[in-house]
Amino acid sequence: MKKFFLIYLIMNLTSLLAQAPVRLTDGATPFLQPVWSPTGEWIALTTSKYDGIWLIKPDGSELHQLTDDLAVGYKMCWSNDGKFLVGRAAQVQNRRRWHVVKIYDTITKTSKAISEPRKQMPSLPQWLDNERVALILDNKPAIIKAVAANDRTLRMFSNRALVFMTQNGLSLTTAAGETTKLPLRPSGQIINAELSPSGDRIVFEELGSQLFSCALEGSDIRPLGRGERPHWSPEGQYIAFMQAEDDGHRIMHADIYIMNHDGTNRMNLTNSAGRLEMNSSWAPDGKRLVFDDRTDGVIWVMPVATP
């Protein structure tokens, strides 16, 4: 009986250790908002005030800086082939702040501006396919040629729409450039909207830390409970999100959660007192999450046992 109990204890301890998060950075440079590349090869990181982009391998090796552009790390976006990043970079000219859309080649370590500098750029760029970037400019969709793809498979346009947050709510832009406004009537401002991998539902946050999902055309609105910054898992079965508490001035506590796509089976993955675990991003295999800890600026990778 004692032998059986010892074997049981060792097996469970091994299981617990296998699920423990792995420290990716040492905290010497505080990093935040990690984003896993679609191919799984790299994780993009940024620093305080979202300045600069760094790349690191999922095992913590080959950390290097891709750019020091200002504010470009805020919701930077990978191309589907994992070769490029696009972001809204800030430039200071004559004491004035301008914004420009730039793409960053992770192979050649070069960058290129693909828009003219603008004083106002409330929208964030997204990849429409592996050649084009889209964003909202002057309340209209703007599609910009970003990359000249040589491979025929890269020239094939995606049938998925992009979801954008505008002053009037959510809108969808297709690969053909057609835009549709969704007839949502939320009680608060909609932020952090994301289209599901299958392209048939949208998860979004209503300012005030409440999560919802809706059908692509804006119908079938489902409350998902409290949460912030939701992200679909690669297969669309689960949603990762964070839940934070503040005192009105600063964040006091934050944890990473996952739940089923319908809001059931919520699970606190971090559940640690005195830590600020935030900003998760799924690995392409759906078995891991990378996130930042704002307490000390360390990036962690955590295996995920789904509900």
Side-chain angles (χ1 to χ4, degrees), residues 1-283:
M1 186 69 180
K2 288 183 179 180
K3 183 177 180 181
F4 174 80
F5 178 76
L6 182 60
I7 294 173
Y8 175 82
L9 184 64
I10 292 173
M11 289 177 63
N12 277 273
L13 180 60
T14 302
S15 176
L16 288 172
L17 290 175
Q19 296 301 316
V22 177
R23 188 181 182 125
L24 212 59
T25 62
D26 59 13
T29 299
F31 290 110
L32 55 90
Q33 203 164 83
V35 187
W36 218 306
S37 70
T39 60
E41 184 179 4
W42 292 102
I43 297 171
L45 314 171
T46 189
T47 58
S48 176
K49 298 180 181 178
Y50 304 102
D51 291 341
I53 297 175
W54 296 66
L55 297 179
I56 191 171
K57 293 282 189 179
D59 62 2
S61 64
E62 298 186 41
L63 174 67
H64 64 277
Q65 189 171 17
L66 186 62
T67 179
D68 61 359
D69 285 343
L70 301 177
V72 70
Y74 181 66
K75 295 194 175 181
M76 54 192 164
C77 184
W78 283 97
S79 60
N80 291 329
D81 58 10
K83 295 179 180 179
F84 299 91
L85 281 152
V86 66
R88 180 185 61 189
Q91 300 175 345
V92 179
Q93 301 175 11
N94 299 324
R95 298 182 180 179
R96 292 187 176 182
R97 193 176 181 93
W98 298 75
H99 304 276
V100 62
V101 178
K102 296 185 72 173
I103 60 167
Y104 302 86
D105 189 323
T106 63
I107 298 175
T108 64
K109 309 298 189 295
T110 57
S111 64
K112 179 176 68 173
I114 59 173
S115 77
E116 295 295 326
R118 297 172 64 99
K119 293 181 181 178
Q120 300 292 330
M121 189 181 288
S123 177
L124 291 161
Q126 302 180 52
W127 289 93
L128 189 59
D129 46 53
N130 282 326
E131 287 187 317
R132 301 176 298 167
V133 167
L135 72 162
I136 303 295
L137 293 176
D138 301 323
N139 295 318
K140 297 181 295 185
I143 297 176
I144 307 170
K145 181 69 173 289
V147 178
N150 295 320
D151 192 312
R152 187 183 70 85
T153 59
L154 299 185
R155 295 197 298 269
M156 295 176 64
F157 295 153
S158 171
N159 291 322
R160 283 167 50 84
L162 296 182
V163 57
F164 287 102
M165 291 160 287
T166 69
Q167 294 178 347
N168 301 318
L170 295 182
S171 67
L172 296 174
T173 297
T174 67
E178 300 172 347
T179 298
T180 303
K181 293 182 180 179
L182 300 188
L184 294 176
R185 295 291 182 269
S187 58
Q189 181 183 355
I190 293 177
I191 57 176
N192 299 321
E194 186 176 288
L195 189 67
S196 67
S198 60
D200 60 346
R201 292 195 70 81
I202 300 169
V203 65
F204 61 90
E205 177 186 344
E206 192 173 287
L207 200 59
S209 301
Q210 295 297 317
L211 298 179
F212 297 85
S213 74
C214 68
L216 190 62
E217 68 278 5
S219 63
D220 189 25
I221 300 175
R222 302 177 186 176
L224 302 178
R226 186 180 166 214
E228 300 150 275
R229 305 178 190 179
H231 297 289
W232 295 97
S233 66
E235 298 298 325
Q237 295 175 286
Y238 308 103
I239 296 172
F241 60 100
M242 56 174 273
Q243 193 167 298
E245 298 176 3
D246 62 70
D247 61 1
H249 301 283
R250 60 193 179 96
I251 298 175
M252 305 298 295
H253 186 76
D255 277 313
I256 303 296
Y257 287 73
I258 59 171
M259 62 182 171
N260 292 336
H261 65 88
D262 60 1
T264 60
N265 291 331
R266 287 174 160 241
M267 181 186 298
N268 187 335
L269 295 183
T270 50
N271 197 23
S272 53
R275 310 301 296 182
L276 302 176
E277 291 107 343
M278 305 171 65
N279 301 311
S280 61
S281 175
W282 289 93

